[in-house]
Amino acid sequence: MRALHLVTLLLVIVGGVNWLLVGLADFDLVATLFGGQDTALATIVYVLVGLSALWQIVPFAKAMQVGETRAEANIGGHR
């Protein structure tokens, strides 16, 4: 299960970087790497990124329940 969380997190990061590039430079890295937005491979990547984002809701919800987000806010001495 940990491997699945890491893979989905990586895909969410890839999606975020892709959107950053689209927003700043009007450059779709996924489309460029896989031959255009309408290709089957690009569509698969877009779907996997979206499904990964949905999957990451589970650990996020668990973190909210146990207060991990408050612990993260205290990193570096900030309270």
Side-chain angles (χ1 to χ4, degrees):
M1 190 65 91
R2 181 169 166 82
L4 182 60
H5 287 300
L6 292 174
V7 169
T8 59
L9 182 58
L10 177 64
L11 283 169
V12 168
I13 292 168
V14 166
V17 169
N18 194 59
W19 275 112
L20 175 68
L21 291 171
V22 169
L24 291 178
D26 199 27
F27 178 74
D28 187 336
L29 181 62
V30 171
T32 300
L33 290 175
F34 296 104
Q37 282 184 327
D38 298 327
T39 64
L41 284 176
T43 299
I44 289 168
V45 172
Y46 295 136
V47 168
L48 288 175
V49 167
L51 290 173
S52 294
L54 292 175
W55 182 264
Q56 285 296 317
I57 291 172
V58 173
F60 176 74
K62 287 180 183 176
M64 294 294 289
Q65 288 175 351
V66 298
E68 284 184 33
T69 54
R70 278 181 263 138
E72 295 264 336
N74 291 329
I75 292 175
H78 296 91
R79 295 178 195 254

